[in-house]
mmCIF file of all heavy atoms in Angstrom:
data_model
loop_
_atom_site.group_PDB
_atom_site.id
_atom_site.type_symbol
_atom_site.label_atom_id
_atom_site.label_comp_id
_atom_site.label_asym_id
_atom_site.label_seq_id
_atom_site.Cartn_x
_atom_site.Cartn_y
_atom_site.Cartn_z
ATOM 1 N N ILE A 153 7.534 -9.864 -5.369
ATOM 2 C CA ILE A 153 8.824 -10.064 -6.047
ATOM 3 C C ILE A 153 8.812 -9.363 -7.410
ATOM 4 O O ILE A 153 9.795 -8.748 -7.823
ATOM 5 C CB ILE A 153 9.143 -11.571 -6.195
ATOM 6 C CG1 ILE A 153 9.288 -12.219 -4.814
ATOM 7 C CG2 ILE A 153 10.426 -11.779 -7.000
ATOM 8 C CD1 ILE A 153 9.341 -13.740 -4.830
ATOM 9 N N ALA A 154 7.659 -9.431 -8.094
ATOM 10 C CA ALA A 154 7.539 -8.756 -9.395
ATOM 11 C C ALA A 154 7.818 -7.263 -9.248
ATOM 12 O O ALA A 154 8.487 -6.654 -10.086
ATOM 13 C CB ALA A 154 6.146 -8.979 -9.973
ATOM 14 N N GLU A 155 7.304 -6.672 -8.174
ATOM 15 C CA GLU A 155 7.514 -5.224 -7.980
ATOM 16 C C GLU A 155 8.995 -4.930 -7.683
ATOM 17 O O GLU A 155 9.534 -3.919 -8.119
ATOM 18 C CB GLU A 155 6.589 -4.684 -6.872
ATOM 19 C CG GLU A 155 6.622 -3.172 -6.803
ATOM 20 C CD GLU A 155 5.326 -2.503 -6.351
ATOM 21 O OE1 GLU A 155 4.244 -3.130 -6.393
ATOM 22 O OE2 GLU A 155 5.409 -1.330 -5.951
ATOM 23 N N HIS A 156 9.641 -5.829 -6.962
ATOM 24 C CA HIS A 156 11.085 -5.644 -6.703
ATOM 25 C C HIS A 156 11.884 -5.729 -7.997
ATOM 26 O O HIS A 156 12.699 -4.869 -8.296
ATOM 27 C CB HIS A 156 11.616 -6.758 -5.782
ATOM 28 C CG HIS A 156 11.155 -6.631 -4.363
ATOM 29 N ND1 HIS A 156 11.579 -7.478 -3.367
ATOM 30 C CD2 HIS A 156 10.297 -5.770 -3.767
ATOM 31 C CE1 HIS A 156 11.012 -7.147 -2.214
ATOM 32 N NE2 HIS A 156 10.227 -6.112 -2.444
ATOM 33 N N THR A 157 11.639 -6.809 -8.764
ATOM 34 C CA THR A 157 12.545 -7.116 -9.867
ATOM 35 C C THR A 157 12.232 -6.311 -11.123
ATOM 36 O O THR A 157 13.146 -5.883 -11.812
ATOM 37 C CB THR A 157 12.490 -8.611 -10.214
ATOM 38 O OG1 THR A 157 11.124 -8.972 -10.453
ATOM 39 C CG2 THR A 157 13.025 -9.463 -9.079
ATOM 40 N N TYR A 158 10.971 -6.100 -11.423
ATOM 41 C CA TYR A 158 10.640 -5.438 -12.691
ATOM 42 C C TYR A 158 10.370 -3.955 -12.540
ATOM 43 O O TYR A 158 10.620 -3.184 -13.447
ATOM 44 C CB TYR A 158 9.454 -6.146 -13.365
ATOM 45 C CG TYR A 158 9.918 -7.204 -14.350
ATOM 46 C CD1 TYR A 158 10.787 -8.215 -13.943
ATOM 47 C CD2 TYR A 158 9.541 -7.164 -15.685
ATOM 48 C CE1 TYR A 158 11.242 -9.170 -14.832
ATOM 49 C CE2 TYR A 158 9.990 -8.120 -16.586
ATOM 50 C CZ TYR A 158 10.836 -9.111 -16.162
ATOM 51 O OH TYR A 158 11.293 -10.038 -17.055
ATOM 52 N N VAL A 159 9.817 -3.547 -11.393
ATOM 53 C CA VAL A 159 9.500 -2.127 -11.208
ATOM 54 C C VAL A 159 10.652 -1.420 -10.504
ATOM 55 O O VAL A 159 10.963 -0.266 -10.796
ATOM 56 C CB VAL A 159 8.189 -1.951 -10.406
ATOM 57 C CG1 VAL A 159 7.857 -0.485 -10.226
ATOM 58 C CG2 VAL A 159 7.046 -2.685 -11.095
ATOM 59 N N GLY A 160 11.279 -2.132 -9.564
ATOM 60 C CA GLY A 160 12.414 -1.532 -8.869
ATOM 61 C C GLY A 160 12.044 -0.866 -7.561
ATOM 62 O O GLY A 160 12.837 -0.126 -6.991
ATOM 63 N N THR A 161 10.821 -1.082 -7.070
ATOM 64 C CA THR A 161 10.456 -0.593 -5.737
ATOM 65 C C THR A 161 10.642 -1.749 -4.755
ATOM 66 O O THR A 161 10.042 -2.810 -4.925
ATOM 67 C CB THR A 161 8.983 -0.144 -5.695
ATOM 68 O OG1 THR A 161 8.782 0.825 -6.719
ATOM 69 C CG2 THR A 161 8.636 0.469 -4.356
ATOM 70 N N GLN A 162 11.463 -1.513 -3.748
ATOM 71 C CA GLN A 162 11.755 -2.586 -2.782
ATOM 72 C C GLN A 162 10.650 -2.622 -1.722
ATOM 73 O O GLN A 162 10.900 -2.435 -0.542
ATOM 74 C CB GLN A 162 13.126 -2.363 -2.138
ATOM 75 C CG GLN A 162 14.266 -2.393 -3.144
ATOM 76 C CD GLN A 162 14.361 -3.729 -3.877
ATOM 77 O OE1 GLN A 162 14.335 -4.788 -3.267
ATOM 78 N NE2 GLN A 162 14.455 -3.681 -5.196
ATOM 79 N N CYS A 163 9.423 -2.875 -2.155
ATOM 80 C CA CYS A 163 8.274 -2.796 -1.248
ATOM 81 C C CYS A 163 8.254 -3.981 -0.282
ATOM 82 O O CYS A 163 8.805 -5.038 -0.578
ATOM 83 C CB CYS A 163 6.986 -2.776 -2.058
ATOM 84 S SG CYS A 163 6.768 -4.194 -3.115
ATOM 85 N N GLY A 164 7.605 -3.762 0.848
ATOM 86 C CA GLY A 164 7.362 -4.862 1.782
ATOM 87 C C GLY A 164 6.184 -5.697 1.283
ATOM 88 O O GLY A 164 5.752 -5.559 0.140
ATOM 89 N N ILE A 165 5.657 -6.516 2.198
ATOM 90 C CA ILE A 165 4.620 -7.470 1.791
ATOM 91 C C ILE A 165 3.206 -6.912 1.957
ATOM 92 O O ILE A 165 2.234 -7.470 1.446
ATOM 93 C CB ILE A 165 4.788 -8.774 2.622
ATOM 94 C CG1 ILE A 165 3.980 -9.941 2.056
ATOM 95 C CG2 ILE A 165 4.388 -8.564 4.081
ATOM 96 C CD1 ILE A 165 4.678 -10.696 0.999
ATOM 97 N N MET A 166 3.078 -5.779 2.680
ATOM 98 C CA MET A 166 1.748 -5.333 3.104
ATOM 99 C C MET A 166 0.750 -5.103 1.962
ATOM 100 O O MET A 166 -0.393 -5.557 2.043
ATOM 101 C CB MET A 166 1.852 -4.035 3.901
ATOM 102 C CG MET A 166 0.488 -3.395 4.121
ATOM 103 S SD MET A 166 0.542 -1.954 5.120
ATOM 104 C CE MET A 166 1.389 -0.796 4.073
ATOM 105 N N ASP A 167 1.166 -4.392 0.927
ATOM 106 C CA ASP A 167 0.204 -3.965 -0.092
ATOM 107 C C ASP A 167 -0.447 -5.167 -0.757
ATOM 108 O O ASP A 167 -1.670 -5.222 -0.932
ATOM 109 C CB ASP A 167 0.892 -3.114 -1.160
ATOM 110 C CG ASP A 167 1.457 -1.826 -0.593
ATOM 111 O OD1 ASP A 167 1.131 -1.518 0.569
ATOM 112 O OD2 ASP A 167 2.211 -1.148 -1.303
ATOM 113 N N GLN A 168 0.380 -6.116 -1.151
ATOM 114 C CA GLN A 168 -0.140 -7.300 -1.831
ATOM 115 C C GLN A 168 -0.965 -8.146 -0.858
ATOM 116 O O GLN A 168 -2.021 -8.675 -1.230
ATOM 117 C CB GLN A 168 1.022 -8.124 -2.392
ATOM 118 C CG GLN A 168 1.763 -7.467 -3.557
ATOM 119 C CD GLN A 168 2.766 -6.410 -3.125
ATOM 120 O OE1 GLN A 168 3.036 -6.234 -1.941
ATOM 121 N NE2 GLN A 168 3.327 -5.688 -4.087
ATOM 122 N N PHE A 169 -0.499 -8.243 0.370
ATOM 123 C CA PHE A 169 -1.213 -9.042 1.370
ATOM 124 C C PHE A 169 -2.612 -8.473 1.604
ATOM 125 O O PHE A 169 -3.613 -9.202 1.603
ATOM 126 C CB PHE A 169 -0.415 -9.057 2.678
ATOM 127 C CG PHE A 169 -0.830 -10.148 3.620
ATOM 128 C CD1 PHE A 169 -0.116 -11.327 3.684
ATOM 129 C CD2 PHE A 169 -1.950 -10.010 4.435
ATOM 130 C CE1 PHE A 169 -0.494 -12.353 4.544
ATOM 131 C CE2 PHE A 169 -2.334 -11.023 5.289
ATOM 132 C CZ PHE A 169 -1.608 -12.196 5.347
ATOM 133 N N ALA A 170 -2.678 -7.157 1.769
ATOM 134 C CA ALA A 170 -3.975 -6.522 2.046
ATOM 135 C C ALA A 170 -4.902 -6.644 0.849
ATOM 136 O O ALA A 170 -6.101 -6.895 0.999
ATOM 137 C CB ALA A 170 -3.772 -5.056 2.404
ATOM 138 N N SER A 171 -4.356 -6.463 -0.345
ATOM 139 C CA SER A 171 -5.195 -6.501 -1.536
ATOM 140 C C SER A 171 -5.837 -7.879 -1.692
ATOM 141 O O SER A 171 -6.992 -7.992 -2.091
ATOM 142 C CB SER A 171 -4.357 -6.144 -2.774
ATOM 143 O OG SER A 171 -5.165 -6.054 -3.911
#
Side-chain angles (χ1 to χ4, degrees):
I153 297 169
E155 189 149 342
H156 288 184
T157 54
Y158 267 55
V159 180
T161 305
Q162 298 300 312
C163 58
I165 194 86
M166 169 176 69
D167 297 349
Q168 291 80 8
F169 197 98
S171 185

